[in-house]
Amino acid sequence: MVVPYEGQSFSALRRQCQQKGVLFEDPLFPTNDQSLFYQSNRIGSVTWKRPKDLCSKPHLFVDGISAHDLHQGQLGNCWFVAACSSLASRETLWQKVIPDWKDQEWDEEKPESYAGIFHFRFWRFGEWVDVVIDDQLPTANGGLVYCHSNDSNEFWSALVEKAYAKMCGCYEALDGGNTADALVDFTGGVSEPMDLVANGFKEDKEKRNELFERVLKVHNRGGLISCSIRATTAADMEAKLDCGLVKGHAYAVTDVRRVRLGHGLLAYFRSDKLEMIRMRNPWGEREWNGPWSDSSEEWKKVSKGERENIGVTVQDDGEFWMTFDDFINNYTDLILCRLINTSYLSFHKTWEEAVMRGSWRLSNDPLLNRTGGCTNHKQTFLQNPQYVFDVKKPEDELLICLQQQDRRASLRGGRGENLAIGFDIHRVELNRTYRMHATQEKVGGSTYINSRSVFVRIDLKEGRYVILPTTFDPGLEGEYLLRIFSDVSSDCKELILDQPPKTCWTGMCGYPVLVTQVHLVQANGLAGQDSGGVSDPYAIIYCEGQKVRSPVHKGTRSPDFDTKGLFYRKKAKQPITIKIYNHNLLMDSFLGQVTMPAEQGSFQQMLHLKGKGNSRDSDLPGTLTVAIITSTALTNI
């Protein structure tokens, strides 16, 4: 589904202009300083001109679309231009951002059909937004002020930049931004920022090899990639290093591959290939001058056919190759934007997606407040929104992305600041259906940052989890979008109720007075001499007609169950039963059970299993470790 930005319909507006014989002038993004700056003009006199005023035969594209079409103008938006460079190399992606591009092109045979109006699409906050603009572009001294192409009569890059500036509030909103955000806006994918220094890729060759495989996979599956060298001081920004690279500057990754070494037929039988990566500087100049740079001697090791195949050019066009090892040694930050495949018809991995929209809303009632802040604020942290999800495989890789509404364009008096956001993940009881009122086992989470989105890729074992999206400080309101991608559907849903609801049957059937958490820790030596070897045990916890079943533990007599159940109890003195079974293909065999007393408080006990687990119907020689943690009365929640 595509949503028109501010209700502007491209087809309706173009039709009106064609019928009236006029060129479109966008009332929502006028040709004045309001569309250029937050507060005051910083670049001097600006004249808005249409492409036909700048050249005789304007075109959207000249000889197709390419990363070389983009050159950064008088804006610190290399992050946006780098993302555009990546986009230009992916036909299926840019055709989504630039819809109906043939229809939008200038038609020299039908000049009367041209209405000076264009539209482009960006993915924002869970939906594709169609942004309409007129073709009036800011110029100074007869040339475009901002993004422009090598060809003076090609305008797709300048027009895409204008549409993006309109969506962000003004051109100045693009001065200093996040490449990860732009990559998501162009694709609807998820961006994973990676710190190449902190993660130890320089020192660990095995980790470096794993990273190359991941980067190659993202590239081969149509994802977009960007990289940069971190600037630690203001003086470092845009500083050129001796190797030709520039600090604090976003580069687009335009190719990743293994390059075949050698010449002639023998090259095809050689096993050695060089792991290489190609990048482009949005300035269109200033390149890497080390090994494997455009004119270096190393390229003599590669056949002419192979050089032509990978597009090696000897010119200062801003694009260059380097080995992956040199890349790791010089760059500090990498952004991988994955395209999330949810199609069951694909040959590649298919992800299951859960999308949750929510808001941080302030209330004086602790049970209704949803602005608790991060875990540093222990008194209010659990007042945040809570979402429960299941991992149904023994282990699953999850991609989790939390995004907030962009606030940079929200304040006309100056740049709006995004909230510092993040999330925590807690492993909880397998049957939890109500909100947490005590923290559980934290198994992961994100860093807190005031960017539009935060991302975590994490491996979790089978079980139930609660994720809490939060702002860093309590009491801050805002909208957010939470996306969880897993191999098997996670059945994610928001926990809204604090406790079981009262119904018309409550007076007759009773209402819970106590909340009990049972933690089944582990068992040891489950099989006796007469009962055979136990290989696949599992446990079931029973309490007042409710039950919680642990996962099956394959091939062990001493499983670490680590299974929790939560029971809302009407009869506080009724005991709790735990039964152990061995999983079989035809019929599961009963191994024994224990009955736990129902005293309040916290304790841990070693108990012998009783049951028909062996031929003498006596105690099994195994033991079970169980912890019962009984909370305060339900009325105290």
Side-chain angles (χ1 to χ4, degrees), residues 18 32 63 191 196 289 300 309 408 515 563 576 598:
Q18 288 171 339
N32 58 32
D63 297 327
S191 283
L196 300 177
N289 56 31
K300 292 181 180 179
N309 182 45
R408 289 180 304 169
V515 185
T563 296
I576 296 167

Side-chain angles (χ1 to χ4, degrees), residues 134-164:
D134 62 38
D135 66 351
Q136 299 180 91
L137 299 169
T139 70
N141 301 318
L144 292 175
V145 173
Y146 300 125
C147 191
H148 54 280
S149 173
N150 266 342
D151 295 291
S152 60
N153 61 332
E154 183 178 58
F155 291 94
W156 75 266
S157 58
L159 293 169
V160 167
E161 182 186 49
K162 180 175 181 178
Y164 200 77

Side-chain angles (χ1 to χ4, degrees), residues 228-268:
S228 61
I229 302 172
R230 198 176 309 137
T232 54
T233 66
D236 272 350
M237 288 298 294
E238 309 292 0
K240 184 178 179 181
L241 303 175
D242 291 339
C243 63
L245 301 178
V246 181
K247 277 191 170 184
H249 193 61
Y251 289 78
V253 174
T254 56
D255 202 355
V256 183
R257 65 173 68 201
R258 289 185 171 91
V259 176
R260 193 185 306 273
L261 300 178
H263 296 267
L265 190 60
L266 289 176
Y268 289 92

Side-chain angles (χ1 to χ4, degrees), residues 447-616:
T447 56
Y448 281 80
I449 187 170
N450 62 342
S451 67
R452 235 177 59 203
S453 64
V454 291
F455 172 88
V456 163
R457 177 172 46 84
I458 188 172
D459 293 320
L460 294 176
K461 62 183 181 179
E462 186 174 356
R464 179 161 290 186
Y465 299 85
V466 167
I467 183 169
L468 296 95
T470 86
T471 57
F472 185 77
D473 295 315
L476 300 176
E477 296 188 313
E479 307 290 326
Y480 62 80
L481 181 74
L482 176 66
R483 294 196 288 168
I484 300 176
F485 300 93
S486 54
D487 193 39
V488 179
S489 176
S490 64
D491 296 331
C492 183
K493 62 182 178 181
E494 185 175 6
L495 295 178
I496 297 176
L497 298 177
D498 290 284
Q499 58 191 39
K502 293 183 179 180
T503 68
C504 57
W505 301 102
T506 298
M508 183 184 303
C509 302
Y511 187 75
V513 295
L514 206 63
V515 185
T516 300
Q517 184 193 71
V518 180
H519 185 189
L520 179 58
V521 183
Q522 65 182 41
N524 291 291
L526 287 181
Q529 293 179 348
D530 300 323
S531 62
V534 173
S535 58
D536 302 326
Y538 66 90
I540 302 178
I541 307 171
Y542 294 90
C543 180
E544 294 191 31
Q546 306 170 67
K547 64 181 181 179
V548 171
R549 173 174 166 160
S550 78
V552 174
H553 292 260
K554 298 282 187 180
T556 178
R557 292 178 52 190
S558 300
D560 290 322
F561 283 116
D562 194 17
T563 296
K564 295 179 183 178
L566 190 68
F567 302 96
Y568 290 81
R569 307 176 64 194
K570 301 173 185 177
K571 302 172 184 178
K573 294 185 179 181
Q574 185 169 327
I576 296 167
T577 301
I578 299 171
K579 296 183 178 181
I580 309 293
Y581 294 85
N582 183 37
H583 179 65
N584 290 301
L585 185 62
L586 297 178
M587 180 180 294
D588 294 349
S589 55
F590 174 68
L591 296 178
Q593 69 180 45
V594 295
T595 300
M596 303 289 297
E599 289 91 343
Q600 296 188 26
S602 298
F603 60 91
Q604 188 162 318
Q605 202 167 345
M606 299 287 290
L607 298 174
H608 285 279
L609 291 167
K610 294 179 180 293
K612 297 180 179 180
N614 58 33
S615 60
R616 294 190 297 274

